[in-house]
Amino acid sequence: LAKRNQVNLDNVLMIGVNCGGTVSPVLARKMIREKYGVDPDSVVKEEIDKGQFIIQTADGQHKGISMDELEDEGFGRRGNCRRCKMKIPRQADLACGNWGVIGEKAGKATFVEVCSEKGANLLDDAVKAGAVATEPANPKGIEIRGKVESAMLKLGDKWRARYFEELGEGKDRLQKIMNETSRCIKCYQCIENCPICYCVECSTKKSYLVEPGEVPPPFMFHLIRYAHIADSCINCGQCEEHCAMDIPNSLFMHALQVNLQEMFGHTPGVDMELPVLALVEERTERKRLADTGSDQIFNIFG
């Protein structure tokens, strides 16, 4: 959004959190009931630790099951979390979390990785104000943090290969996407909850592009969205999470984005480099995007 002039990073302090993935609440309740044999309402805490999904009940009992086992049976983390390779968000000013906190500090402190001058100033001001106390990271903790991140990245590669292989290629992939999106009821939740969508006037609502009043909408509805977002998709999963018809929108978008990333080397959400767009003179288009924040290349409808 910042590279399209939709937010001014000078006015923003970004604080990221290391993350191995999250679980959909609805699926989590089903999983806890069926796999753990526990009433979900009695669970007071859940966490992912050392390859297990661990629950704690109100009476203090803990129970963990391997994430591999859970995910092989269709439970576990959200699909976009399985494919994610942004485990420690170092594009933020500060990257915080529990990876690397060991020994007597475990569960009582936060590992803070300073990623920018702005982040360093924020932390210094917090220390001076007495809001936080800091100490150097334990070298062993740094090593463990690296191992956890490495393991999670390898897991992300595994799930990407599995998901994208199942999706197929070429015409087979297109047919699968068309079949899945044929359930769409045009509720616009995928668009309204996408952090990348920012157009004031959405092209999917223009009658000369998408015939109004049709449910399910014509495939052009989805093609427009893929064309607008695919190079910038950050795999947050919100288009899939909010879909009333359980269409795996995030998978389709992420698969397209990864293909573009492999072709052009652009990873969205990491730096201020603009994506390489097709059918334009790159330097001219980069300048126009920076100047206007608009992705409307040609006004072909006059």
Side-chain angles (χ1 to χ4, degrees):
L1 291 177
K3 70 184 66 172
R4 287 175 165 84
N5 295 331
Q6 301 305 302
V7 61
N8 184 356
L9 291 184
D10 291 339
N11 300 328
V12 177
L13 282 163
M14 294 192 291
I15 300 178
V17 181
N18 61 235
C19 180
T22 59
V23 181
S24 170
V26 174
L27 188 62
R29 290 181 64 85
K30 186 175 188 290
M31 175 177 71
I32 290 169
R33 184 179 292 109
E34 295 182 7
K35 291 291 294 180
Y36 292 77
V38 172
D39 179 3
D41 290 334
S42 70
V43 175
V44 296
K45 183 180 179 180
E46 317 94 25
E47 65 176 331
I48 299 174
D49 187 36
K50 296 177 181 177
Q52 289 192 326
F53 185 83
I54 303 169
I55 64 171
Q56 178 183 336
T57 55
D59 58 6
Q61 294 186 33
H62 292 75
K63 187 172 183 179
I65 298 178
S66 161
M67 287 297 296
D68 288 340
E69 177 185 338
L70 292 171
E71 292 181 350
D72 283 341
E73 296 183 23
F75 293 112
R77 299 168 299 161
R78 291 173 167 91
N80 61 297
C81 293
R82 300 181 196 185
R83 298 189 306 271
C84 177
K85 294 185 66 178
M86 184 56 63
K87 300 305 181 181
I88 299 178
R90 295 184 179 90
Q91 72 272 43
D93 298 303
L94 297 174
C96 307
N98 61 356
W99 296 356
V101 182
I102 62 174
E104 62 180 19
K105 295 290 185 180
K108 301 176 183 177
T110 298
F111 194 107
V112 180
E113 200 168 331
V114 179
C115 305
S116 72
E117 183 179 352
K118 190 160 52 171
N121 292 336
L122 172 63
L123 190 59
D124 286 343
D125 290 345
V127 171
K128 290 174 183 176
V132 298
T134 62
E135 64 181 58
N138 186 315
K140 183 66 175 178
I142 296 175
E143 180 184 348
I144 292 173
R145 180 177 173 84
K147 288 182 178 179
V148 173
E149 181 183 19
S150 178
M152 294 307 303
L153 291 175
K154 288 179 181 177
L155 200 56
D157 282 328
K158 184 194 88 167
W159 278 108
R160 285 189 182 195
R162 179 169 169 176
Y163 273 116
F164 297 162
E165 183 178 334
E166 291 175 352
L167 191 54
E169 297 180 355
K171 291 182 179 179
D172 290 338
R173 174 179 291 191
L174 177 61
Q175 190 60 57
K176 186 168 289 188
I177 293 175
M178 292 180 71
N179 291 342
E180 290 283 351
T181 55
S182 68
R183 302 196 302 274
C184 176
I185 60 172
K186 204 178 180 181
C187 67
Y188 278 94
Q189 288 301 302
C190 58
I191 292 174
E192 291 178 4
N193 288 283
C194 177
I196 305 301
C197 281
Y198 65 85
C199 293
V200 175
E201 185 181 1
C202 183
S203 295
T204 63
K205 295 182 179 180
K206 295 176 180 178
S207 59
Y208 51 77
L209 294 175
V210 178
E211 186 72 23
E214 288 189 24
V215 177
F219 191 54
M220 178 59 75
F221 177 87
H222 302 284
L223 285 178
I224 289 172
R225 179 151 164 71
Y226 296 151
H228 276 196
I229 304 300
D231 65 344
S232 302
C233 175
I234 55 170
N235 187 39
C236 72
Q238 293 305 293
C239 55
E240 188 169 323
E241 185 79 8
H242 290 84
C243 180
M245 303 308 292
D246 294 326
I247 299 169
N249 292 297
S250 178
L251 172 59
F252 303 151
M253 203 79 67
H254 189 216
L256 289 168
Q257 184 275 312
V258 170
N259 284 345
L260 289 171
Q261 182 178 326
E262 291 172 350
M263 284 189 281
F264 299 112
H266 172 76
T267 305
V270 173
D271 53 41
M272 289 298 288
E273 285 293 313
L274 290 164
V276 179
L277 302 178
L279 304 178
V280 295
E281 201 287 313
E282 182 182 341
R283 291 185 180 180
T284 301
E285 181 60 14
R286 284 182 184 274
K287 184 178 186 307
R288 189 188 63 73
L289 277 170
D291 290 344
T292 66
S294 170
D295 66 353
Q296 187 66 44
I297 299 173
F298 303 112
N299 184 11
I300 60 175
F301 295 101

